[in-house]
Amino acid sequence: MGGRKKLSLSQMERQQMVRERGARRRESAVREKRVGGIFPPDVNDESFLEELRKMKVITPYAVASKYNLRLSVAKDVLRELERKGLIELVAASRYTRIYKMAS
């Protein structure tokens, strides 16, 4: 019952050029995966607390990206700071928590 129509030379050349361009884009798009650190900053360190004071809102993602931490470690650090009364919870959802510096 037939089959696929045979492509002309110009169509085959165009397909080959498109494939090569796509391969080059994929190679350039591959980035090195960054693994966050496991060791949190010292919650009693004054420079760490000063950096947090500069932030309008404090989220686990913001802390993790700023200090190159894993998200779970950043969440633990923020819970510890909340327990000590240095930051206070503004809003919480199932997925994330938003904090601000305690007044």
Side-chain angles (χ1 to χ4, degrees):
M1 288 279 186
R4 191 167 174 190
K5 183 180 172 188
K6 191 172 182 181
L7 298 176
S8 68
L9 284 177
S10 61
Q11 288 173 327
M12 286 192 287
E13 286 175 356
R14 194 174 319 125
Q15 277 186 347
Q16 185 176 0
M17 286 176 26
V18 168
R19 271 192 233 114
E20 288 173 359
R21 261 191 252 137
R24 274 189 255 137
R25 283 187 188 150
R26 271 184 252 123
E27 288 173 5
S28 64
V30 174
R31 286 190 237 154
E32 189 174 318
K33 187 174 180 180
R34 282 186 3 191
V35 176
I38 302 171
F39 305 107
D42 183 20
V43 293
N44 297 321
D45 184 21
E46 194 57 41
S47 63
F48 173 66
L49 296 175
E50 191 60 40
E51 286 294 320
L52 290 180
R53 282 188 195 99
K54 293 178 185 176
M55 300 169 78
K56 286 185 178 184
V57 292
I58 304 166
T59 62
Y61 179 78
V63 173
S65 58
K66 188 168 196 148
Y67 294 100
N68 193 25
L69 298 173
R70 291 188 178 179
L71 204 52
S72 60
V73 174
K75 288 178 182 180
D76 291 341
V77 168
L78 293 178
R79 276 192 220 112
E80 178 69 21
L81 289 170
E82 182 185 17
R83 190 180 62 75
K84 288 186 172 191
L86 298 171
I87 61 175
E88 55 189 46
L89 184 65
V90 175
S93 74
R94 181 175 168 183
Y95 303 105
T96 190
R97 294 170 160 251
I98 300 172
Y99 299 93
K100 71 174 186 171
M101 290 304 291
S103 305

